[in-house]
Amino acid sequence: MEENQVSAFESIANGDHEAVAATTTEYNSHSSTNNDHGWQKVTYAKRQRKNKAAESINNLNRLVPGATISGGDSVFRSVEKESEERARRLREAQRAAAAANADAIGVVPARSKLRSDDEYGEDSDDEAVQQNAKAAEEKKSKPKKPKKPKVTVAEAAAKIDANDLSAQLIDFSAFVEDIQVMKFADYFGRAFSAVTSAQFPWVKMFKESTVAKIADIPISHISDDVYKTSVDWISKRSIQSLGSFILWSLDTILADLASQRVGGKGAKKGVQQASSKSQVAIFIVAAMVLRRKPDVLISILPTLRENSKYQGQDNLPVIVWMIVQASQGDLAVGLYAWAHNILPQVCGKSSNPQSRDLVLQLVERILSMPKARTILVNGAVRKGERLVPPFAFEILMGVTFPAPSARVKATERFEAVYPTLKAVALAGSPGSKAMKQVSLQILSFAVKAAGEESAPELSYEAAGIFIWCLTQSAECFKQWDKVYEGNLKASVTVLKKLSDQWKEHAAKFSPLDSMRETLKSFRHKNEKALEGEAESAEQERLIKDADKYCKTLLGKLSRGSGCKKSVAFVVLALAVGAAVVSPNVESWDWKKLTVFFSSENPFF
């Protein structure tokens, strides 16, 4: 039995746990056999197996009472050594990885909070000092990247050589025209590629500067030789290819504007985005194209009106800049673009003080040019289209003569430019087919405006415009007769003005038959309306006032006709008397005298 015990301990020392369990079981069985005195113990096999397993585990962790173990100090020492060796290797691997990482990024790794106190000894401190010194030396030894020199727009423009540009333009001739234009733009793109947005903050300049200040940005930096070489080449390109380029340029500029607007919300102050290649070049080439060939702008105006991506308050400064460039080459093109594309935005959804200010700055600049009124009035019709069409003139009247409660700061500025714009809108050959059509279009909105009680200034001005329409075409009298009953208030305003200012307007109506017939028709309608029941007392008053002015005007027309006959009789009598007295009757110009009597010019 003692031999079995010694074998068990030797097995424990050697790690043979199964042998230990077997020996222990044998020992317990032998003891039980000697002490049962012939009695047998009944056990459950399943429970016995569980108990044996538990006893086996416990025997591994306890000493047998009364027994001694040779070499007991080293029973678990091998396990402890293995564990310590494994922990040491793990620490060394961690240190090596941390050192490698520190060398890669130049940062000394922080010590882990999970380390034991023994690891913060002198050796660890020495290693940390050495690592810090090594990192500092590497940081000092790394060469700093040289900063790129800042290049201004003026410096980049000064390096462009006109002779080199001419040589490049000759090479471009091998390509189709659309490619030639893009290569021309790319030449300037390379020339200004070093200019960053910090040197050309165009969004800020457009937002904070007046139209007059941005007009020459950035083309003012281009030398005369380079400009002349460029515009001479541009003049030989077609409207179609240049129009495609201008739309591409506008898309690029607006895309840059959108990116800066989005990036600016979350961007830090002072951080400048790099300019694409290159916004400066796009602005310069677009300006040269529009100044040399303003008709390019006319060709793309329908696209700018119909496509919503070119509209809105944010895009308005860029569109205004383009119109300014075109007006430098042709004032008529500038005013045409202003009236057709820009003015309608005053009454649109995006109307606000800022947009009204831009609209006014643009037209004020156009009208301030030398001899602008003469140039624009003489060129009021351009290639069959009016510079200020009827729909634009209607908008202009509305913003110039609003209701007293609706006046704003911009109203006075509109009043200042209105006379010249009105002259352009009404310019043309009286009696011509084109003017007949224009007068009918203007009359259709003038009759409504003349009846506006809330805006007395607008009503008065519209009545004057209505009378102008009557002097342009007899068709306007017929149109007036059709809308008379539905616009009694406006008709009374017009009739009153005609009656009060008859001497001023009478000479403009020739012949007078159309007016006479229209007034008689009005009187007939008035009598018919008064015979029945009026819809209201106000309507009855208007009918009576209209009938009163019709009588007055018909009386003046009758007196004018009678006076004309009297004058004719006197002149004829004088002529006969002179013929009797003077022997040189043949020398008289009877043809002129006949024309005089046959004319319908009134004398009152």
Side-chain angles (χ1 to χ4, degrees), residues 51 164 173 177 194 200 202-203 217 224 290-291 295 302 323-324 443 507 515 527 539 591:
N51 292 337
D164 180 66
S173 59
E177 194 168 72
F200 184 61
W202 71 270
V203 175
I217 293 177
D224 293 340
L290 292 171
R291 291 185 179 208
D295 286 349
I323 296 175
V324 169
L443 184 138
M515 176 178 282
E527 291 173 1
Q539 186 183 20
K591 186 176 180 180

Side-chain angles (χ1 to χ4, degrees), residues 38 108 122 136 143 147 167 261 283 296 345 361 398 416 428 461 467 494 502 510:
V108 178
E122 293 180 0
K147 293 183 178 180
R261 191 167 62 243
F283 275 101
V296 173
Q345 296 192 34
Q361 283 191 60
E461 177 66 17
I467 293 172
V494 174
W502 177 249
S510 180

Side-chain angles (χ1 to χ4, degrees), residues 2-20:
E2 292 178 357
E3 292 177 357
N4 291 336
Q5 289 179 344
V6 172
S7 300
F9 289 127
E10 289 177 353
S11 299
I12 292 172
N14 296 329
D16 192 354
H17 299 300
E18 293 181 0
V20 172

Side-chain angles (χ1 to χ4, degrees), residues 428-506:
S429 302
S432 65
K433 185 177 180 180
M435 288 306 295
K436 288 180 180 179
Q437 185 177 1
V438 170
S439 60
L440 285 171
Q441 292 175 353
I442 295 177
L443 184 138
S444 64
F445 67 79
V447 68
K448 297 177 181 178
E452 286 288 341
E453 286 186 343
S454 60
E457 291 183 355
L458 176 62
S459 177
Y460 185 83
E461 177 66 17
I465 299 297
F466 192 97
I467 293 172
W468 173 87
C469 294
L470 297 176
T471 64
Q472 298 300 306
S473 172
E475 292 296 322
C476 290
F477 282 103
K478 295 179 181 180
Q479 183 67 21
W480 188 13
D481 193 22
K482 292 178 181 179
V483 301
Y484 172 75
E485 293 177 309
N487 295 274
L488 271 177
K489 193 174 296 182
S491 296
V492 169
T493 303
V494 174
L495 290 169
K496 182 179 184 304
K497 187 161 187 161
L498 270 174
S499 179
D500 295 341
Q501 302 176 1
W502 177 249
K503 290 183 179 180
E504 179 183 342
H505 298 293

Side-chain angles (χ1 to χ4, degrees), residues 557-571:
L557 287 173
S558 299
R559 287 195 300 272
S561 179
C563 180
K564 183 176 179 180
K565 292 177 181 178
S566 299
V567 172
F569 177 77
V570 171
V571 172

